[in-house]
Amino acid sequence: MPRYFLIPFALVAFVFAMPGAEAQKKFDLVESVLNDPAAPVGGNPKGDITIVAFLDYNCPYCRRATPELDKFIASDGHVKVIYKDWPILAPSSIVAAKVAIAANYQGKYQAAHDALMAIKLRPATLPAIKAAVQSAGIDIVQLDKDLAAHNADIGALLQRNIAEADALHLQGTPVFLVGPYLIAGGLDEAGFRKAVGRARAAK
């Protein structure tokens, strides 16, 4: 059962209670979560509601929620999704996260993301990860070049995602920030629709 928490973005309330540098630190965290230019974005970039998704490619609940989120995004058309790869469950989670982010340099993050979430093995193996992205139409030669050329930037993005999850006191995947709500746990299409409806009503 997903758990809903109202977070006046959890952080924003803290900002007003903290002076000086500490308040600025919290404000920067909000900016990092919502406006990191390196974070992959799906759905409608100009949507009226944003879903921030903290996910791990070895998480079974993330794997079940991903096609449900995809169906909801396609049916709604007015939701922006910010993907936060948060590889915490296995070493192959880190590999898969780096592969997905590297695919973004080809403009194919979503294809790689969906393919990696569809892997049946748990934890995913390196051959399974490679087969998944190949099946998604990712140029493997270019992917390897981007993994090498952008290794530092990819690693830095993952570190920011981890820092954001720690600052939000997240306990595990999946977690979805839907407008002012934090939802810990997987959702189906109807659950995403309900959560977004609540977020729109709260605006």
Side-chain angles (χ1 to χ4, degrees), residues 40-157:
V41 172
N44 182 348
K46 297 182 179 180
D48 64 325
I49 294 293
T50 296
I51 296 176
V52 182
F54 286 85
L55 305 167
D56 184 303
Y57 290 107
N58 280 309
C59 166
Y61 305 104
C62 300
R63 290 178 177 181
R64 288 200 287 269
T66 291
E68 299 295 317
L69 176 58
D70 288 349
K71 286 189 291 185
F72 169 67
I73 295 302
S75 67
D76 184 281
H78 299 287
V79 174
K80 175 182 179 179
V81 182
I82 300 174
Y83 291 102
K84 299 290 182 174
D85 290 294
W86 185 28
I88 57 174
L89 295 178
S92 65
S93 299
I94 299 171
V95 174
K98 288 183 174 181
V99 164
I101 294 167
N104 203 33
Y105 291 97
Q106 296 183 41
K108 293 186 176 181
Y109 175 87
Q110 190 73 55
H113 173 81
D114 289 347
L116 292 166
M117 282 296 182
I119 293 174
K120 303 299 183 186
L121 295 174
R122 184 168 173 260
T125 62
L126 298 186
I129 290 170
K130 182 176 180 179
V133 293
Q134 283 181 318
S135 70
I138 309 299
D139 183 331
I140 300 300
V141 173
Q142 185 60 48
L143 182 73
D144 286 340
K145 290 179 180 178
D146 288 329
L147 280 166
H150 302 287
N151 181 61
D153 290 336
I154 292 170
L157 174 59

Side-chain angles (χ1 to χ4, degrees), residues 131-197:
V133 293
Q134 283 181 318
S135 70
I138 309 299
D139 183 331
I140 300 300
V141 173
Q142 185 60 48
L143 182 73
D144 286 340
K145 290 179 180 178
D146 288 329
L147 280 166
H150 302 287
N151 181 61
D153 290 336
I154 292 170
L157 174 59
L158 290 177
Q159 286 302 313
R160 290 196 297 276
N161 292 350
I162 291 168
E164 292 162 9
D166 287 346
L168 288 165
H169 305 292
L170 305 186
Q171 300 299 307
T173 54
V175 171
F176 301 98
L177 308 182
V178 184
Y181 297 100
L182 185 155
I183 304 168
L187 293 171
D188 59 13
E189 183 180 3
F192 283 114
R193 183 171 291 106
K194 179 180 178 181
V196 168

